[in-house]
Amino acid sequence: MASSPPRSTSPSEKKSDPERQNELFTTDIPTAETVTETVEVLDPKAEAALLLKLDSVFVPIIMLVYLSCFLDRSNIGNVKVAGMPEDIGASASEFSTAVSIFYATYVAFEAPWAILLKRLTPRVTLTTLCVIWSLTTIFSGFITNIGGLYAARLVLGACEGGLFPGLNLYLTMVYKREEQARRVSYLFVCTAIAGAFGGLLAYLILKMDGIGGQAGWRWVYIIEGIFSIFIGALVWFALPNDPTEAYFLSEDEKRMMRVRARQRAQYMGSEEFSWEEIRFALKDMKVWMSGAIQFCQDILLFGFSTFLPSIIQSMGHDSVQAQYLTIPVYITGGLCFMALAFLSDKLSVRGPLVAFANVFGILGYILIICPTSNGVKFLGTFFCSVAVYSGPGLNLTWLNVNVAPHYRRAAAIGFQQTMANTAGIVAGQIYREKPYLLGNAFSLGSLVVAEFLIAGLWLYIRSCNRKKERISRGEVEDTRKVKTGDGELDFKYHL
């Protein structure tokens, strides 16, 4: 057991031994109001057991709801190679527009949903969104023309726009800064699982072609939509609005959650809604630079995850082979991201790992674009998958841990995601015709631009840390306009 630093005697030191069980020692830490408060430091083993319990309940729920969301969003890539455009009389340009139009409402609703999450409560917000997009997916199985597809994609985007920012905010309500990258990684792993599972599921469901007089692609929408309905019910009954009072925790574990909340007081801040915090987020250079990076990374995420079956099909494979050959690619990307996320949390390093993952993506797209054999091009998709998931996930975590308090962070995540997800509009337009040279070349260029932006953001954050250190030492006057939340002198940004 570690010993506590020298400090003045506090009332807690007068407790008897029984009363001091599970209270190893206390230390003074700053709260959100920069007032010194005596806060318990938890037994590391007890806290590790608590984290394991939190993960065992929260992570499966969060992963399932995001899995269903991404399945319902990206299955348009699966039905494309299964004959949907021909059945509804959609031209190549009209179908590309249908892919892109999803992001018109998606980006418009991200920031509002993120800000409203806490006021409407996570359970009500997430369940409602899940049920509506699930029903929309089911009804997509009965579309007969391009107008119906446009309408369905717009409704889908309006609902799904609130999920990713909402889930990220929920994670910040449960976990500390140094615990978040691996939990965010679970969300992005879901995109990989959705790709792999979606390809396998589509492969199996397409065998239902003709059953009930319906085409196989219609069954893809109907069955995946029904699956999502059940996930919505799970969210309602299993996701607590207040993680500190979660139904599956014992009284001692709830006490530990309250201690963790006090330890994170500076990071979480006031529970009261504040327009001033939203204005601070809009003026924060970190948010804008992070959004620009995320836009570049999402060009890959949306283009790759939506059109991978088509990209593989352009290498000489038939539509069925294209479905199941996506599975190992997605799994590789998901596993690599989890490994980098664990390393990121362990080292509290973010930006350099985003740049490292992008190197693999640059190599992968070069292999796909160059006049190489189809086998080498397929190998390139594995390299691409490392950057496709690790880049956006680690960059988002980088923003999560560097913005405080809650409503400033909610606005920051919402605005960053709004900027980033306009990439979906672009992705739908650059992947039009085989062999998708424009789309792959554009993705390669986006990665190169992202590398320069990452270096710029890293240098900016490092300069902010150094300025705080100089102010703390009294070397320079504190002329900063924002001095609260992550602007406090003892809030150290992760690089």
Side-chain angles (χ1 to χ4, degrees):
M1 178 174 71
S3 60
S4 60
R7 63 193 187 281
S8 59
T9 303
S10 67
S12 64
E13 293 179 302
K14 299 177 182 179
K15 293 180 180 179
S16 63
D17 288 341
E19 290 175 307
R20 289 174 58 84
Q21 281 186 335
N22 297 321
E23 296 184 15
L24 297 186
F25 55 92
T26 61
T27 185
D28 292 334
I29 69 167
T31 65
E33 293 76 19
T34 65
V35 178
T36 301
E37 176 185 325
T38 302
V39 178
E40 176 187 351
V41 174
L42 300 171
D43 179 350
K45 290 184 178 179
E47 190 169 17
L50 173 63
L51 282 173
L52 182 61
K53 192 169 186 177
L54 292 171
D55 286 344
S56 67
V57 177
F58 286 134
V59 169
I61 297 170
I62 289 172
M63 288 184 72
L64 278 171
V65 69
Y66 196 64
L67 172 65
S68 72
C69 164
F70 212 82
L71 272 177
D72 293 345
R73 178 198 313 179
S74 61
N75 55 19
I76 193 169
N78 299 115
V79 300
K80 179 178 185 290
V81 298
M84 181 190 190
E86 294 79 8
D87 285 357
I88 65 172
S91 66
S93 62
E94 287 175 331
F95 199 82
S96 293
T97 300
V99 173
S100 297
I101 204 173
F102 167 90
Y103 296 97
T105 48
Y106 190 94
V107 300
F109 282 87
E110 282 184 297
W113 282 127
I115 294 169
L116 288 171
L117 177 79
K118 207 163 190 176
R119 304 191 82 181
L120 298 178
T121 73
R123 177 188 292 170
V124 170
T125 303
L126 297 178
T127 302
T128 301
L129 294 178
C130 188
V131 169
I132 294 175
W133 87 57
S134 301
L135 292 173
T136 303
T137 302
I138 293 173
F139 294 148
S140 296
F142 302 95
I143 288 170
T144 57
N145 54 56
I146 190 63
L149 182 59
Y150 287 162
R153 296 287 290 176
L154 285 170
V155 174
L156 205 62
C159 293
E160 293 194 5
L163 182 67
F164 191 69
L167 292 179
N168 268 280
L169 271 177
Y170 194 83
L171 289 174
T172 67
M173 294 164 62
V174 180
Y175 299 101
K176 297 179 181 178
R177 295 171 71 203
E178 64 273 16
E179 299 165 353
Q180 287 183 27
R182 70 189 71 179
R183 276 79 193 185
V184 172
S185 78
Y186 299 145
L187 293 180
F188 278 90
V189 165
C190 283
T191 67
I193 295 174
F197 181 62
L200 177 60
L201 190 61
Y203 170 71
L204 296 174
I205 296 175
L206 287 174
K207 293 183 177 294
M208 296 175 64
D209 188 43
I211 295 178
Q214 302 295 329
W217 65 264
R218 295 187 184 276
W219 285 113
V220 171
Y221 276 126
I222 294 168
I223 291 177
E224 291 185 2
I226 292 172
F227 168 74
S228 297
I229 286 282
F230 286 107
I231 300 303
L234 176 66
V235 172
W236 176 260
F237 290 107
L239 194 70
N241 284 323
D242 182 1
T244 63
E245 296 295 329
Y247 59 90
F248 56 86
L249 297 177
S250 67
E251 288 304 314
D252 189 56
E253 288 167 337
K254 290 178 181 178
R255 178 190 62 80
M256 293 171 66
M257 287 292 287
R258 290 190 289 271
V259 171
R260 283 167 55 87
R262 290 197 295 275
Q263 291 172 344
R264 298 180 305 133
Q266 182 189 51
Y267 179 57
M268 293 306 296
S270 172
E271 296 289 316
E272 297 297 321
F273 176 78
S274 169
W275 283 110
E276 185 179 31
E277 294 295 349
I278 294 173
R279 287 194 293 271
F280 286 158
L282 279 172
K283 296 177 181 179
D284 192 339
M285 181 64 69
K286 299 191 301 295
V287 175
W288 292 99
M289 294 186 72
S290 177
I293 295 169
Q294 198 77 354
F295 173 86
C296 294
Q297 301 288 166
D298 280 0
I299 291 287
L300 279 69
L301 179 64
F302 297 133
F304 193 85
S305 60
T306 302
F307 293 101
L308 183 59
S310 298
I311 294 171
I312 293 177
Q313 189 179 35
S314 72
M315 297 176 186
H317 300 284
D318 61 36
S319 62
V320 175
Q321 291 173 325
Q323 301 288 358
Y324 65 72
L325 285 176
T326 63
I327 298 172
V329 179
Y330 287 125
I331 291 175
T332 299
L335 291 177
C336 288
F337 180 31
M338 288 191 70
L340 287 174
F342 273 80
L343 183 63
S344 178
D345 274 347
K346 185 175 181 63
L347 302 178
S348 291
V349 170
R350 315 299 180 179
L353 292 178
V354 182
F356 174 72
N358 283 347
V359 172
F360 291 91
I362 291 171
L363 175 61
Y365 279 110
I366 290 174
L367 292 178
I368 294 173
I369 293 170
C370 289
T372 55
S373 67
N374 286 335
V376 173
K377 291 181 186 296
F378 184 56
L379 174 64
T381 64
F382 285 86
F383 286 116
C384 290
S385 70
V386 179
V388 164
Y389 300 110
S390 301
L394 291 175
N395 182 57
L396 179 60
T397 303
W398 199 9
L399 180 67
N400 279 356
V401 301
N402 282 337
V403 179
H406 175 83
Y407 279 108
R408 191 185 307 178
R409 183 166 55 255
I413 293 173
F415 292 134
Q416 188 241 41
Q417 287 293 294
T418 295
M419 293 170 61
N421 286 316
T422 55
I425 300 172
V426 178
Q429 300 305 309
I430 59 178
Y431 283 94
R432 285 197 172 191
E433 298 178 357
K434 298 176 184 179
Y436 303 108
L437 179 61
L438 173 61
N440 292 325
F442 200 100
S443 297
L444 174 61
S446 297
L447 276 179
V448 174
V449 172
E451 294 292 74
F452 285 102
L453 291 171
I454 291 164
L457 179 56
W458 187 87
L459 290 171
Y460 173 73
I461 290 177
R462 186 182 66 166
S463 72
C464 290
N465 278 337
R466 290 183 173 180
K467 185 174 183 178
K468 287 184 177 183
E469 291 170 3
R470 294 184 66 195
I471 293 171
S472 296
R473 292 195 297 264
E475 296 176 5
V476 295
E477 183 183 355
D478 191 354
T479 59
R480 298 171 305 142
K481 293 182 179 179
V482 180
K483 302 177 184 180
T484 60
D486 61 81
E488 293 183 13
L489 294 179
D490 55 357
F491 189 106
K492 186 174 182 180
Y493 298 117
H494 289 191
L495 292 173

